[in-house]
Amino acid sequence: RGVAELHRSGAVHGGISLDAIRCEPSAPGGVDAIGVPGGRGVRLLQIPLAGDPHAASTHAPGDSTERISRLGRKASFVPPELLLPGRIADRRGDVYSLGCVFHALLTGVAPCWKGDAQRTLSQASLTGPEPLGPPRVPVEIATLVSYMVARDPSGRYPDAAEAADAIAACIGLPPVSGSLPPQQPLVDALGAGDAAAAVVQVVPDGIATLPGKPLVIPSSSDAVKQRSARRRLVATA
């Protein structure tokens, strides 16, 4: 939901990993974010509280080997398309990273991890995360994760709101999208200039705006391609 709210504001997170998620026990007698009594609260951290792994992967691999090596295990959550020259973090990239978090929680291991960042990113580009399925993971959940971590961005949910709705459907919760704020107009990141002057930050105390930071969102041409390739997961009871 936190990432979906970012997307509705016209921003992207760009650094989702297990290190960007903080779990806290709820207050005595309280409920968690989805209404479970005594459940744990989940907080999404953003720069500077969480690093930006995508910043090390926006150049061709040969030009950024040293920067990639500093990713460590965060490489398991970086969308493989960001290894291509000129690519920027976008909403479908956030969906991929969320899917990798989901994958890691279901399996207990970081997806595609091969001992170092470079080999991990190569594995993600070649095969993607290991497919899930019975008996450990129900078919509906495995299918949902496969859409989120598709190597081709066009095979993923277009934004976190649709991914959250699919997750909610699979586990018997009400949809998320209906309670989110309206979608803000997108700004072309390649020609926004001073119009892109802020990035939304999700921190434990709520949402704040960091002045002077560029708004990183997909270009208008990318948005058209995303809308034309929308895929949805239909969960059945």
Side-chain angles (χ1 to χ4, degrees), residues 44-57:
L44 175 67
L45 308 182
Q46 172 103 342
I47 300 169
L49 299 178
D52 181 5
H54 298 202
S57 306

PDB file of all heavy atoms in Angstrom, residues 44-57:
ATOM      1  N   LEU A  44       7.776   1.195   5.507  1.00  0.00           N
ATOM      2  CA  LEU A  44       8.584   1.275   4.289  1.00  0.00           C
ATOM      3  C   LEU A  44       9.522   2.467   4.401  1.00  0.00           C
ATOM      4  O   LEU A  44       9.069   3.604   4.561  1.00  0.00           O
ATOM      5  CB  LEU A  44       7.681   1.422   3.069  1.00  0.00           C
ATOM      6  CG  LEU A  44       8.388   1.629   1.726  1.00  0.00           C
ATOM      7  CD1 LEU A  44       9.169   0.378   1.343  1.00  0.00           C
ATOM      8  CD2 LEU A  44       7.372   1.981   0.649  1.00  0.00           C
ATOM      9  N   LEU A  45      10.812   2.215   4.311  1.00  0.00           N
ATOM     10  CA  LEU A  45      11.814   3.270   4.409  1.00  0.00           C
ATOM     11  C   LEU A  45      12.224   3.728   3.021  1.00  0.00           C
ATOM     12  O   LEU A  45      12.257   2.949   2.079  1.00  0.00           O
ATOM     13  CB  LEU A  45      13.048   2.770   5.166  1.00  0.00           C
ATOM     14  CG  LEU A  45      12.804   2.116   6.522  1.00  0.00           C
ATOM     15  CD1 LEU A  45      14.135   1.716   7.158  1.00  0.00           C
ATOM     16  CD2 LEU A  45      12.024   3.040   7.446  1.00  0.00           C
ATOM     17  N   GLN A  46      12.559   4.995   2.897  1.00  0.00           N
ATOM     18  CA  GLN A  46      13.014   5.564   1.633  1.00  0.00           C
ATOM     19  C   GLN A  46      14.307   6.326   1.885  1.00  0.00           C
ATOM     20  O   GLN A  46      14.721   6.527   3.024  1.00  0.00           O
ATOM     21  CB  GLN A  46      11.926   6.481   1.050  1.00  0.00           C
ATOM     22  CG  GLN A  46      12.328   7.289  -0.167  1.00  0.00           C
ATOM     23  CD  GLN A  46      11.792   6.731  -1.468  1.00  0.00           C
ATOM     24  OE1 GLN A  46      11.394   5.575  -1.522  1.00  0.00           O
ATOM     25  NE2 GLN A  46      11.767   7.533  -2.503  1.00  0.00           N
ATOM     26  N   ILE A  47      14.981   6.733   0.811  1.00  0.00           N
ATOM     27  CA  ILE A  47      16.205   7.507   0.930  1.00  0.00           C
ATOM     28  C   ILE A  47      15.955   8.696   1.864  1.00  0.00           C
ATOM     29  O   ILE A  47      14.927   9.357   1.721  1.00  0.00           O
ATOM     30  CB  ILE A  47      16.641   8.021  -0.462  1.00  0.00           C
ATOM     31  CG1 ILE A  47      16.888   6.840  -1.406  1.00  0.00           C
ATOM     32  CG2 ILE A  47      17.867   8.890  -0.386  1.00  0.00           C
ATOM     33  CD1 ILE A  47      17.071   7.238  -2.842  1.00  0.00           C
ATOM     34  N   PRO A  48      16.837   9.030   2.817  1.00  0.00           N
ATOM     35  CA  PRO A  48      18.134   8.414   3.066  1.00  0.00           C
ATOM     36  C   PRO A  48      18.103   7.255   4.051  1.00  0.00           C
ATOM     37  O   PRO A  48      19.150   6.692   4.353  1.00  0.00           O
ATOM     38  CB  PRO A  48      18.932   9.587   3.646  1.00  0.00           C
ATOM     39  CG  PRO A  48      17.911  10.332   4.433  1.00  0.00           C
ATOM     40  CD  PRO A  48      16.628  10.226   3.656  1.00  0.00           C
ATOM     41  N   LEU A  49      16.932   6.910   4.592  1.00  0.00           N
ATOM     42  CA  LEU A  49      16.877   5.815   5.556  1.00  0.00           C
ATOM     43  C   LEU A  49      17.145   4.472   4.896  1.00  0.00           C
ATOM     44  O   LEU A  49      17.596   3.541   5.547  1.00  0.00           O
ATOM     45  CB  LEU A  49      15.508   5.802   6.244  1.00  0.00           C
ATOM     46  CG  LEU A  49      15.160   7.064   7.039  1.00  0.00           C
ATOM     47  CD1 LEU A  49      13.764   6.944   7.637  1.00  0.00           C
ATOM     48  CD2 LEU A  49      16.175   7.302   8.143  1.00  0.00           C
ATOM     49  N   ALA A  50      16.850   4.357   3.624  1.00  0.00           N
ATOM     50  CA  ALA A  50      17.164   3.151   2.849  1.00  0.00           C
ATOM     51  C   ALA A  50      17.950   3.578   1.625  1.00  0.00           C
ATOM     52  O   ALA A  50      17.650   4.607   1.016  1.00  0.00           O
ATOM     53  CB  ALA A  50      15.886   2.427   2.436  1.00  0.00           C
ATOM     54  N   GLY A  51      18.956   2.805   1.278  1.00  0.00           N
ATOM     55  CA  GLY A  51      19.763   3.132   0.109  1.00  0.00           C
ATOM     56  C   GLY A  51      19.003   2.945  -1.179  1.00  0.00           C
ATOM     57  O   GLY A  51      17.903   2.396  -1.212  1.00  0.00           O
ATOM     58  N   ASP A  52      19.577   3.417  -2.271  1.00  0.00           N
ATOM     59  CA  ASP A  52      18.959   3.333  -3.591  1.00  0.00           C
ATOM     60  C   ASP A  52      19.773   2.392  -4.469  1.00  0.00           C
ATOM     61  O   ASP A  52      20.722   2.803  -5.114  1.00  0.00           O
ATOM     62  CB  ASP A  52      18.910   4.728  -4.216  1.00  0.00           C
ATOM     63  CG  ASP A  52      18.243   4.719  -5.584  1.00  0.00           C
ATOM     64  OD1 ASP A  52      17.739   3.652  -5.984  1.00  0.00           O
ATOM     65  OD2 ASP A  52      18.238   5.763  -6.243  1.00  0.00           O
ATOM     66  N   PRO A  53      19.445   1.081  -4.495  1.00  0.00           N
ATOM     67  CA  PRO A  53      20.234   0.147  -5.303  1.00  0.00           C
ATOM     68  C   PRO A  53      20.161   0.455  -6.788  1.00  0.00           C
ATOM     69  O   PRO A  53      21.088   0.171  -7.532  1.00  0.00           O
ATOM     70  CB  PRO A  53      19.606  -1.214  -4.988  1.00  0.00           C
ATOM     71  CG  PRO A  53      18.221  -0.892  -4.555  1.00  0.00           C
ATOM     72  CD  PRO A  53      18.312   0.424  -3.843  1.00  0.00           C
ATOM     73  N   HIS A  54      19.081   1.070  -7.247  1.00  0.00           N
ATOM     74  CA  HIS A  54      18.933   1.361  -8.662  1.00  0.00           C
ATOM     75  C   HIS A  54      19.959   2.386  -9.133  1.00  0.00           C
ATOM     76  O   HIS A  54      20.332   2.416 -10.289  1.00  0.00           O
ATOM     77  CB  HIS A  54      17.530   1.878  -8.952  1.00  0.00           C
ATOM     78  CG  HIS A  54      16.458   0.878  -8.640  1.00  0.00           C
ATOM     79  ND1 HIS A  54      15.214   0.909  -9.198  1.00  0.00           N
ATOM     80  CD2 HIS A  54      16.451  -0.193  -7.832  1.00  0.00           C
ATOM     81  CE1 HIS A  54      14.480  -0.087  -8.753  1.00  0.00           C
ATOM     82  NE2 HIS A  54      15.211  -0.754  -7.905  1.00  0.00           N
ATOM     83  N   ALA A  55      20.423   3.232  -8.234  1.00  0.00           N
ATOM     84  CA  ALA A  55      21.391   4.253  -8.630  1.00  0.00           C
ATOM     85  C   ALA A  55      22.695   3.629  -9.109  1.00  0.00           C
ATOM     86  O   ALA A  55      23.435   4.237  -9.865  1.00  0.00           O
ATOM     87  CB  ALA A  55      21.667   5.197  -7.461  1.00  0.00           C
ATOM     88  N   ALA A  56      22.983   2.417  -8.671  1.00  0.00           N
ATOM     89  CA  ALA A  56      24.210   1.749  -9.082  1.00  0.00           C
ATOM     90  C   ALA A  56      24.027   0.948 -10.355  1.00  0.00           C
ATOM     91  O   ALA A  56      24.966   0.347 -10.851  1.00  0.00           O
ATOM     92  CB  ALA A  56      24.710   0.816  -7.976  1.00  0.00           C
ATOM     93  N   SER A  57      22.824   0.939 -10.906  1.00  0.00           N
ATOM     94  CA  SER A  57      22.547   0.057 -12.031  1.00  0.00           C
ATOM     95  C   SER A  57      21.935   0.772 -13.222  1.00  0.00           C
ATOM     96  O   SER A  57      21.356   0.141 -14.095  1.00  0.00           O
ATOM     97  CB  SER A  57      21.600  -1.063 -11.581  1.00  0.00           C
ATOM     98  OG  SER A  57      22.113  -1.728 -10.463  1.00  0.00           O
TER      99      SER A  57
END
